[in-house]
Amino acid sequence: CEVSRGHPAGEMLLVLSPKKEVILGRRAFSLQVKELFSSLGVDCNILELDQVDEGASVQEVLSEITNQRTVPSIFVNKVHVGGCDHTFQAHQSGLLQQLLQQGPAYDYDLIVIGGGSGGLACAQEAAVLGRKVMVLDFVVPSPRGTSWGLGGTCVNVGCVPKKLMHQAALLGQALTDSRKFGWEYSQQVRHSWATMTEAIQSHVGSLSWGHRLALREKAVTYVNSYGEFVEHHKVKATNEKGQEAFYTAAKFVIATGERPRYLGVEGDKEHCITSDDLFSLPYCPGTTLVVGASYVALECAGILAGLGLDVTVMARSVLLRGFDQEMAEKVGASLQQLGVRFLRKFVPVEVQQLEKGLPGRLKVVAKSTEGPETMEGVYNTVLLAIGRDSCTKKLGLEKIGVNISEKTGKIPVNDEEQTSVPYVYAVGDVLEGKPQLTPVAVQAGKLLARRLFGGRSEKCDYVSVPTVVFTPLEYGCCGYSEEKAGEVYQAENLNVYHTLFWPLEWTVACRDSNACYAKIICNKLDSDRVIGFHVLGPNAGEITQGFAAAIKCGLTKQLLDDTIGIHPTCGEVFTTLEITKASGLDVTQKGC
């Protein structure tokens, strides 16, 4: 209970705590009620008016608020019960127990901080279950000034625009292949960056608007403000004009995602772009240096190269860390065939602007990770894709005791997405040690809402989650990499079946016969159950999605052998795998 004289009219301002029962009065009378609450196992706050300097003034304000001239004055969960006699009468009638069981009166049942895929899924599911829900979402512009609407990374600057640009790059290759299939055209084919980005951003905008409509239809309150905890169960929401509002809720879900990391060297934020900027870039990036070896780096490099641009990838160490390394190197080789150059084991130490313009010219100074060697290069655009940082540092989580990993900035949770503070949960990319994928966040968000408000018990299954790297030659996988499977099950307990394959569509076009590759990793000790699935080839995402369901059901090598393939498809290769790595047989194929 807090008393101050901050009211504009000069009156006494009385703020009652929503967390505990409040007794205001003089000591003798207050103790009787305190003993009653103690017998019920309830904590209470007591402001003894005869022990404070402004007790008389407080009692006068109380009289105005409650129309009760005597003390003590008892409040339970912000409800005025009355004096001592009224409180004991409420106890005898059962009314007091009802008030105690109701819990504090909050503005909302649930506030979701973050309007990405996981947060929106959780908010909408909670609203469907009849709860009062708010979503706080605010996009801090990138250093280049790029911002976007509701929907998070996936919709605005991730999966959706990336896949559409990936398709644009594939169409370029299809044009080349089409001549072999009899298509004749004499005019020079050119790609318009402006036309592509305008069309993609129009679609992205429609998706973002669709999310707003969905929230409105489900009566979810959407506030375009930055959420920050100020105390338990209470957040401050600050909009782009700096205006502040405060909201309380019984439960909170953190779904703030991640943003691209910068190098921390001279000129990086001033002159470089990231995936936050690329998909809405108003000009063609020209000759581009992509810094990083993540899936974002290789996808962006593949897109730009597929559109006919000169692309170089500068990688500090291995490609696609955390993925199967044999597959990662094959992805790199496929990009090299497309014309992408790789500078391995170098890192930028300085980015200088040589000429202004759209795109302008930049000089990059890089240093070897293995010695004193340095090198320089000139590019129109430098795109950084060296990883992402969780958006958890400016949420006020430390004020309420939510644990955050010092190393990663991510939030550790239990198997029900609950943080170290019982009423605070988290979903999506902010979670420690969980797959950073949109469908994972959506599934976790929905199931969390159903457990919290729908009486359900199902938990999100983070095992054997399928994913795909949308390089021009797609790489899809589900389950363990060969390296991780060896650590978990021991290499001698594994069978690895693999083969190269040549898609029928590539034969007439005379494309590389040894680029596409299929591999499964099986546990010998469990009936050759498939614990790792990997495919590099056209439409690998579509292939992997289908097999992922089978892997969830306990797919074995024998079941694959018993399955009749669809001919001619790329996916059928998994029904005829015979060669194991242990056999040492050559899997190369003859091409055109």
Side-chain angles (χ1 to χ4, degrees):
C1 177
E2 180 181 305
V3 180
S4 69
R5 286 195 174 274
H7 195 278
E11 301 172 356
M12 187 72 68
L13 176 63
L14 181 66
V15 181
L16 302 179
S17 167
K19 299 183 285 297
K20 293 183 179 180
E21 297 13 285
V22 181
I23 307 169
L24 300 106
R26 303 191 185 278
R27 177 172 296 182
F29 298 106
S30 299
L31 289 177
Q32 297 177 39
V33 182
K34 181 181 180 182
E35 289 175 0
L36 172 61
F37 281 128
S38 296
S39 70
L40 297 173
V42 176
D43 291 331
C44 60
N45 291 327
I46 300 178
L47 179 63
E48 298 171 348
L49 299 183
D50 52 358
Q51 301 296 310
V52 297
D53 293 339
E54 299 178 325
S57 299
V58 173
Q59 186 167 350
E60 183 180 343
V61 174
L62 275 173
S63 299
E64 295 175 6
I65 294 174
T66 65
N67 291 321
Q68 176 184 323
R69 306 298 300 178
T70 61
V71 290
S73 192
I74 294 93
F75 292 80
V76 176
N77 287 332
K78 294 187 177 180
V79 176
H80 181 239
V81 177
C84 186
D85 291 341
H86 283 104
T87 303
F88 278 94
Q89 290 170 8
H91 174 54
Q92 291 173 357
S93 67
L95 176 61
L96 181 62
Q97 287 84 337
Q98 290 181 19
L99 288 172
L100 291 171
Q101 290 172 1
Q102 286 177 359
Y106 296 115
D107 299 327
Y108 292 89
D109 297 309
L110 174 69
I111 291 180
V112 177
I113 303 178
S117 302
L120 292 177
C122 184
Q124 292 181 68
E125 191 70 15
V128 167
L129 293 169
R131 299 298 173 152
K132 187 179 180 183
V133 183
M134 168 182 278
V135 171
L136 292 173
D137 184 63
F138 185 85
V139 178
V140 177
S142 74
R144 294 293 294 265
T146 308
S147 61
W148 49 89
L150 189 64
T153 296
C154 176
V155 167
N156 296 282
V157 291
C159 321
V160 172
K162 179 266 301 289
K163 180 71 183 293
L164 292 172
M165 280 199 177
H166 170 66
Q167 175 65 11
L170 292 183
L171 288 173
Q173 180 63 57
L175 280 171
T176 302
D177 291 349
S178 70
R179 292 184 183 276
K180 292 281 187 176
F181 285 90
W183 288 93
E184 298 177 359
Y185 46 91
S186 56
Q187 65 189 56
Q188 183 180 2
V189 178
R190 296 168 51 189
H191 179 263
S192 169
W193 179 273
T195 299
M196 176 187 67
T197 53
E198 182 180 349
I200 289 174
Q201 288 305 306
S202 176
H203 179 66
V204 166
S206 72
L207 294 179
S208 182
W209 178 247
H211 282 305
R212 294 192 66 168
L213 289 179
L215 292 181
R216 186 183 303 170
E217 290 171 357
K218 293 178 175 63
V220 175
T221 302
Y222 164 58
V223 177
N224 183 205
S225 295
Y226 190 95
E228 177 187 357
F229 283 95
V230 291
E231 61 182 65
H232 280 288
H233 291 280
K234 187 175 184 179
V235 291
K236 175 177 69 176
T238 307
N239 65 19
E240 62 181 351
K241 297 180 180 179
Q243 297 169 331
E244 297 177 353
F246 296 86
Y247 305 100
T248 61
K251 299 183 187 301
F252 290 83
V253 171
I254 308 300
T256 47
E258 297 184 314
R259 296 292 293 272
R261 184 178 305 147
Y262 283 78
L263 291 165
V265 303
E266 183 179 344
D268 62 345
K269 291 186 177 180
E270 294 85 355
H271 307 308
C272 299
I273 67 170
T274 69
S275 57
D276 279 357
D277 311 296
L278 177 65
F279 304 118
S280 60
L281 201 65
Y283 55 85
C284 179
T287 300
T288 302
L289 173 67
V290 177
V291 181
S294 64
Y295 73 90
V296 175
L298 300 190
E299 287 175 339
C300 291
I303 287 168
L304 297 177
L307 296 177
L309 302 181
D310 187 330
V311 181
T312 301
V313 172
M314 183 178 290
R316 178 176 59 87
S317 57
V318 301
L319 304 181
L320 297 177
R321 184 178 299 279
F323 287 85
D324 187 285
Q325 282 304 292
E326 179 183 31
M327 303 302 295
E329 287 302 318
K330 288 182 179 295
V331 170
S334 72
L335 288 172
Q336 285 181 305
Q337 283 193 330
L338 195 61
V340 175
R341 289 185 296 275
F342 280 84
L343 296 174
R344 305 289 286 265
K345 302 187 187 239
F346 274 88
V347 293
V349 293
E350 185 181 359
V351 181
Q352 302 174 8
Q353 186 179 61
L354 300 179
E355 292 180 12
K356 291 184 178 181
L358 301 176
R361 293 175 69 238
L362 302 171
K363 183 173 82 170
V364 176
V365 181
K367 184 179 182 302
S368 169
T369 61
E370 298 183 323
E373 182 183 359
T374 61
M375 62 174 298
E376 296 180 357
V378 176
Y379 308 92
N380 296 121
T381 299
V382 178
L383 189 153
L384 304 181
I386 57 173
R388 299 171 68 82
D389 292 322
S390 296
C391 301
T392 57
K393 293 182 178 178
K394 297 181 180 180
L395 299 179
L397 296 177
E398 70 285 351
K399 297 176 184 175
I400 59 171
V402 174
N403 290 338
I404 303 174
S405 168
E406 292 185 7
K407 182 179 180 181
T408 64
K410 293 180 177 291
I411 302 175
V413 295
N414 61 18
D415 63 351
E416 295 189 337
E417 287 81 45
Q418 188 178 44
T419 72
S420 56
V421 175
Y423 65 87
V424 179
Y425 298 79
V427 296
D429 291 357
V430 295
L431 296 189
E432 180 78 56
K434 299 292 189 291
Q436 297 171 239
L437 298 165
T438 295
V440 173
V442 170
Q443 179 84 329
K446 285 183 178 179
L447 294 179
L448 173 59
R450 290 171 187 171
R451 290 196 307 274
L452 293 178
F453 306 117
R456 303 283 287 275
S457 60
E458 295 91 342
K459 302 173 185 177
C460 185
D461 185 358
Y462 292 99
V463 178
S464 295
V465 175
T467 189
V468 63
V469 179
F470 283 107
T471 39
L473 191 57
E474 296 177 11
Y475 164 39
C477 60
C478 182
Y480 289 104
S481 66
E482 196 171 340
E483 294 84 3
K484 190 65 177 178
E487 292 176 18
V488 175
Y489 295 98
Q490 306 305 314
E492 62 271 19
N493 296 323
L494 303 177
N495 276 328
V496 180
Y497 301 89
H498 68 140
T499 188
L500 293 164
F501 64 95
W502 197 16
L504 180 64
E505 297 86 346
W506 286 25
T507 57
V508 171
C510 278
R511 293 175 66 179
D512 189 352
S513 61
N514 288 301
C516 299
Y517 183 65
K519 175 169 72 173
I520 60 171
I521 304 159
C522 300
N523 181 5
K524 291 181 186 178
L525 304 182
D526 188 12
S527 304
D528 246 4
R529 183 170 61 87
V530 178
I531 59 173
F533 176 95
H534 303 268
V535 58
L536 179 67
N539 302 304
E542 307 294 343
I543 296 170
T544 306
Q545 181 67 81
F547 281 102
I551 292 171
K552 281 283 187 185
C553 296
L555 180 67
T556 64
K557 177 61 166 65
Q558 187 60 53
L559 287 171
L560 278 174
D561 293 343
D562 293 342
T563 301
I564 297 174
I566 301 172
H567 184 71
T569 64
C570 293
E572 70 174 317
V573 69
F574 287 97
T575 68
T576 58
L577 286 173
E578 295 180 357
I579 302 170
T580 65
K581 286 196 170 182
S583 70
L585 294 177
D586 185 10
V587 296
T588 58
Q589 301 188 117
K590 293 181 180 179
C592 292

